[in-house]
């Protein structure tokens, strides 16, 4: 149907039954009757248009399990974008991720279903800020988190994600023959990295608006209410949160932890959709709140993914000169040997006395 209202027929019900099995613990039957026809139509459109959907771990389960061709954390999606064999990439994630895909695949059409899907970290710093920082710290390598605009990436030496930040910081310091690295723009990630390495970290005061809201009291209250629950935290959280958690790592590291260990109860100190998506891998695990919603990630829906494919919108473009310079920084990160296991923030080895220099 041209208006995007597709009926839930017995054929659609049968064709989407395996997906329903994956999400039935987190999606109601009423919701599924609306989602299933759109999922079937989006998957048909992908084949017709030679498109792939890259879906971040924070997408809702009907997107993540229903239409994502590749799912994962920021590092995994960047690697998949570089390899993507399709004419169109639809980024089910936020704008900086779509820019990263365009930077890596300039010949492909990259679409984001809602242009307002931003990120508080990407908005916290500009290319001009980075140029001024480089003037202030000549010769000190600049590592930027992928949660930045392409213009910011173009000013930096190498990118990192939460899955490889310690490895990248150490590689950047070694390559420049220094013991100092500028790590932009997430202050909390920088503080958490600084505790894992001998490299001295210079940090910016950007924050993820989802993870900065967790504090030590939240973790203490969770421990008291659910003493048996294992607590996993994302490294964009304040260090006091990581100190009280059982494990810290990127979104994929958390997924691996739950899938391998199948804890009886777990708390994911991160964005809420993580628990919904992992639930399919860990049927016996009870996922305990709290979690916080990312308003930017939640702008992406099945409806606007469908619109993106039908109307080929909203196309993300990056100035070719900026893209070439940003590509160098992202490619250097991708070319580093992949870690044997997703990096964890080792809370036992953490050097609690180590602090960062704030710009
Ligand atoms: P990762 O998926 O790389 O852990 O990043 C989390 C995030 O906040 C992405 O926006
Ligand atoms: Fe940005 Fe935080 Fe949302 Fe990720 S969760 S997109 S870092 S605001």
């Amino acid at each position: 149907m041209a208006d995007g209202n597709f009926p839930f027929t017995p054929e659609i019900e049968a064709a989407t039954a395996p997906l329903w099995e994956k999400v039935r613990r987190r999606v109601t039957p009423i919701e599924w009757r609306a989602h299933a026809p759109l999922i079937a139509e989006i998957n048909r459109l992908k084949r017709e248009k030679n498109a792939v959907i890259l879906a971040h771990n924070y997408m809702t389960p009907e997107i993540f399990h229903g239409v994502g061709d590749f799912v994962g954390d920021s590092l995994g999606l960047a690697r998949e974008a570089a390899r993507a064999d399709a004419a169109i990439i639809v980024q089910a994630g936020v704008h900086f991720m779509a820019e990263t895909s365009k930077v890596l695949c300039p010949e492909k059409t990259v679409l984001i279903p809602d242009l307002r899907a931003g990120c508080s970290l990407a908005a916290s710093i500009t290319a001009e800020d980075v140029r001024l920082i480089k003037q202030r710290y000549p010769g000190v390598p600049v590592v930027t988190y992928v949660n930045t605009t392409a213009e910011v990436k173009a000013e930096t030496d190498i990118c990192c994600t939460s899955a490889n930040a310690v490895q990248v910081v150490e590689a950047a310091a070694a390559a420049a023959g220094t013991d100092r690295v500028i790590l932009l723009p997430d202050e909390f990630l920088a503080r958490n990295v600084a505790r894992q390495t001998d490299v001295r970290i210079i940090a910016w005061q950007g924050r993820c608006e989802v993870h900065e809201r967790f504090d030590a009291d939240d973790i203490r209250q969770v421990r008291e209410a659910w003493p048996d629950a294992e607590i996993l935290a994302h490294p964009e959280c304040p260090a006091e949160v990581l100190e009280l958690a059982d494990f810290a790592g990127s979104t994929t590291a958390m997924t691996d932890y739950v899938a391998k260990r199948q804890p009886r109860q777990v708390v994911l100190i991160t964005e809420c959709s993580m628990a919904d998506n992992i639930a399919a891998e860990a049927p016996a695990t009870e996922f305990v709140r709290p979690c916080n919603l990312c308003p930017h990630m939640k702008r992406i829906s099945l409806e606007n993914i469908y619109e993106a494919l039908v109307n080929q919108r909203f196309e993300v473009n990056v100035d070719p000169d900026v893209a070439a310079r940003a590509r160098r920084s992202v490619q250097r990160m991708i070319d580093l040997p992949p870690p044997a296991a997703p990096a964890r923030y080792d809370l036992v080895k953490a050097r609690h006395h180590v602090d960062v220099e704030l710009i």
Side-chain angles (χ1 to χ4, degrees):
M1 247 181 246
D3 62 1
N5 288 319
F6 299 98
F8 185 56
T9 60
E11 294 73 31
I12 298 276
E13 186 174 5
T16 56
L19 291 174
W20 168 239
E21 279 310 310
K22 284 192 175 174
V23 301
R24 59 185 302 165
R25 292 170 68 216
R26 317 300 286 195
V27 176
T28 66
I30 296 175
E31 289 170 318
W32 190 247
R33 282 201 286 277
H35 293 327
L38 260 180
I39 288 172
E41 183 57 17
I42 288 169
N43 287 332
R44 188 194 67 74
L45 279 168
K46 285 190 312 197
R47 289 190 293 274
E48 181 185 300
K49 297 185 177 252
N50 188 19
V52 288
I53 296 182
L54 305 187
H56 187 262
N57 290 328
Y58 293 162
M59 290 293 102
T60 48
E62 66 278 8
I63 296 175
F64 183 90
H65 290 292
V67 300
D69 295 289
F70 301 100
V71 295
D73 62 6
S74 308
L75 179 61
L77 295 185
R79 288 188 195 280
E80 290 303 337
R83 284 198 281 257
D85 180 21
I88 299 174
I89 293 175
V90 181
Q91 198 82 37
V94 292
H95 196 268
F96 76 78
M97 296 177 176
E99 276 196 340
T100 303
S101 294
K102 185 66 187 178
V103 158
L104 290 169
C105 311
E107 74 293 352
K108 297 193 197 309
T109 301
V110 176
L111 305 175
I112 184 132
D114 188 324
L115 279 170
R116 296 169 300 175
C119 170
S120 64
L121 280 171
S124 74
I125 192 161
T126 65
E128 181 58 14
D129 292 329
V130 184
R131 286 191 283 272
L132 291 170
I133 291 167
K134 287 196 290 190
Q135 277 173 26
R136 184 163 152 194
Y137 297 97
V140 181
V142 182
V143 176
T144 46
Y145 202 28
V146 285
N147 299 40
T148 47
T149 62
E151 289 189 345
V152 164
K153 290 184 178 80
E155 295 297 331
T156 69
D157 295 298
I158 183 167
C159 288
C160 74
T161 73
S162 62
N164 61 12
V166 177
Q167 181 195 14
V168 171
V169 159
E170 291 182 345
T178 73
D179 68 345
R180 283 201 306 175
V181 162
I182 299 162
L183 176 55
L184 306 170
D186 186 350
E187 176 188 339
F188 292 150
L189 180 77
R191 288 185 185 281
N192 291 324
V193 168
R195 290 168 167 224
Q196 308 289 321
T197 177
D198 291 330
V199 178
R200 287 153 57 209
I201 305 288
I202 301 164
W204 186 251
Q205 297 186 44
R207 304 271 177 91
C208 161
E209 67 188 84
V210 175
H211 293 98
E212 71 169 344
R213 282 164 36 213
F214 295 107
D215 64 20
D217 282 343
D218 291 329
I219 311 303
R220 285 192 201 100
Q221 280 163 16
V222 168
R223 282 258 186 251
E224 211 176 294
W226 293 279
D228 296 332
E230 296 181 35
I231 301 179
L232 280 52
H234 193 277
E236 290 168 10
C237 293
E240 63 180 36
V241 169
L242 268 65
E243 276 170 20
L244 295 173
D246 296 306
F247 175 86
S250 76
T251 53
T252 292
M254 289 191 213
T255 307
D256 285 9
Y257 181 101
V258 175
K260 279 196 194 109
R261 296 172 63 119
Q262 304 277 323
R264 197 171 66 75
Q265 280 184 328
V266 78
V267 188
L268 301 180
I269 302 296
T270 187
E271 215 276 345
C272 299
S273 288
M274 276 292 296
D276 295 334
N277 294 331
I278 302 178
E281 315 286 339
T285 298
E286 181 193 350
F287 293 86
V288 176
R289 303 260 153 170
C291 59
N292 285 331
L293 285 169
C294 173
H296 309 290
M297 292 281 182
K298 298 291 95 102
R299 293 224 180 253
I300 309 300
S301 63
L302 284 177
E303 285 75 10
N304 59 25
I305 290 174
Y306 167 79
E307 297 284 341
L309 281 165
V310 169
N311 300 313
Q312 196 140 322
R313 73 180 195 199
F314 296 93
E315 191 167 350
V316 174
N317 282 305
V318 178
D319 172 84
D321 171 58
V322 171
R325 290 186 292 129
R327 191 175 313 124
R328 206 189 40 199
S329 300
V330 180
Q331 197 62 50
R332 280 188 188 138
M333 168 184 82
I334 289 177
D335 290 344
L336 286 176
R344 58 173 296 187
Y345 290 72
D346 194 329
L347 306 171
V348 179
K349 283 200 218 129
R351 300 156 166 85
H352 293 279
H353 59 282
V354 172
D355 209 351
V356 300
E357 176 182 338
L358 274 185
I359 297 167

